[in-house]
Amino acid sequence: MKLLKISLLTLFLITNFLNLQAQSKIKSYAQKKGQVFDIIFLNTKPDTKKKLDNYFKTAFPVAEKMGYHPLPGRAVSGSPTQGNYHPEVMVFGYWDTLSGREKFLQEIEKTMPDFHQERRNIWSTFGLTYYELKEDLSFKIDPERFNITTAYWQKDEQSFNKFKQEWLQKSKKAGGQIEIEFVEGTSPFGYHYNPDYLVITSWENKAAFEKFYTENLKMNHSSVKHVNQFQIK
């Protein structure tokens, strides 16, 4: 499956100042308890180079002073396998502390008064969720495997937990590896995404995933409010 064709500006954001060759290698992530892990899903508007250049030049120094660290992100490949959202990229980053993460959104308008409007001018979608880490975090993404990001929103916790356990059992039985799971995230006002359960799984190949996918679609989804699912590279 070919990578979704995306703009150079978006690709620049994905790699977070790394060269394109870095995308073809295994990426390992290791953050510490107490840090805050950002996940952002983006779609970039065309003809926004000047605005994006100014955004990086103005906003990033403020974020870095407050403890922000960019991490290698991932491109979204092909069409979604479930759901109605088709982002171009999945961007990762982390903050040293929750207070620093929250302070950034409180203080950035002092430096960049049009910060939120400029985000709307540059990106047609900007879905942000962050997670305060309750324990050390370690995972990897190998682009040679078939990697899937799945986000679920639940109708109620008890019934969804039963669905999730069945989902995990079927995934494991079909050969899926759980790379990382996220729950209890936060989306700032104006950037809501925040699924109840976000999981990245990896598979030996597309056929292995599709075997599980067929079984997944047969499951009872009465406890599920919504789902987004797509391949990442």
Side-chain angles (χ1 to χ4, degrees):
M1 188 177 292
K2 295 182 179 179
L3 279 174
L4 182 69
K5 187 175 181 181
I6 57 179
S7 70
L8 291 176
L9 292 176
T10 301
L11 195 55
F12 173 75
L13 186 59
I14 301 170
T15 57
N16 296 303
F17 309 103
L18 298 177
N19 60 48
L20 296 180
Q21 290 181 342
Q23 279 285 351
S24 66
K25 300 176 183 178
I26 296 174
K27 291 299 171 190
S28 298
Y29 302 83
Q31 274 60 62
K32 299 294 185 181
K33 177 181 177 181
Q35 293 176 338
V36 178
F37 196 84
D38 270 17
I39 296 178
I40 308 174
F41 293 105
L42 295 175
N43 293 83
T44 304
K45 294 181 179 180
D47 303 319
T48 54
K49 183 180 185 305
K50 289 184 179 180
K51 290 182 179 294
L52 190 51
D53 287 346
N54 182 66
Y55 176 86
F56 281 122
K57 188 185 305 181
T58 308
F60 265 44
V62 178
E64 289 169 349
K65 285 181 181 178
M66 295 183 182
Y68 176 71
H69 307 269
L71 293 169
R74 314 312 302 179
V76 174
S77 178
S79 298
T81 51
Q82 294 189 68
N84 61 346
Y85 180 41
H86 194 168
E88 293 175 321
V89 296
M90 185 177 188
V91 176
F92 297 137
Y94 76 94
W95 300 75
D96 292 331
T97 63
L98 179 61
S99 61
R101 208 279 168 255
E102 293 177 339
K103 185 178 180 182
F104 170 72
L105 286 178
Q106 297 169 5
E107 298 292 325
I108 184 60
E109 289 182 277
K110 294 179 182 178
T111 302
M112 190 176 181
D114 59 348
F115 173 76
H116 296 289
Q117 184 58 52
E118 277 301 270
R119 280 186 164 179
R120 290 188 286 269
N121 292 338
I122 295 168
W123 292 286
S124 57
T125 66
F126 195 111
L128 166 61
T129 313
Y130 61 83
Y131 302 86
E132 185 180 16
L133 301 180
K134 307 302 183 183
E135 57 186 26
D136 291 353
L137 173 71
S138 178
F139 70 102
K140 68 181 186 303
I141 297 177
D142 180 354
E144 297 302 316
R145 290 177 62 82
F146 196 81
N147 302 292
I148 292 288
T149 295
T150 306
Y152 277 117
W153 288 260
Q154 65 190 25
K155 288 184 179 178
D156 69 87
E157 185 175 0
Q158 185 175 1
S159 59
F160 178 76
N161 281 340
K162 293 179 180 179
F163 172 88
K164 183 171 71 173
Q165 290 307 311
E166 182 183 356
W167 191 95
L168 291 169
Q169 290 170 4
K170 288 182 179 293
S171 174
K172 183 178 179 179
K173 184 178 180 180
Q177 294 182 15
I178 306 298
E179 300 298 342
I180 191 66
E181 299 172 280
F182 286 106
V183 296
E184 298 181 358
T186 300
S187 285
F189 177 75
Y191 301 96
H192 185 78
Y193 189 75
N194 201 14
D196 294 295
Y197 180 59
L198 188 144
V199 57
I200 298 176
T201 54
S202 68
W203 306 79
E204 184 176 355
N205 49 44
K206 182 180 179 181
F209 167 71
E210 289 184 338
K211 182 179 179 181
F212 161 72
Y213 177 71
T214 299
E215 294 301 312
N216 177 203
L217 294 181
K218 295 177 182 177
M219 293 174 61
N220 182 351
H221 284 72
S222 61
S223 64
V224 178
K225 181 186 297 185
H226 190 54
V227 60
N228 290 156
Q229 187 180 73
F230 26 76
Q231 182 193 1
I232 58 173
K233 283 284 191 178

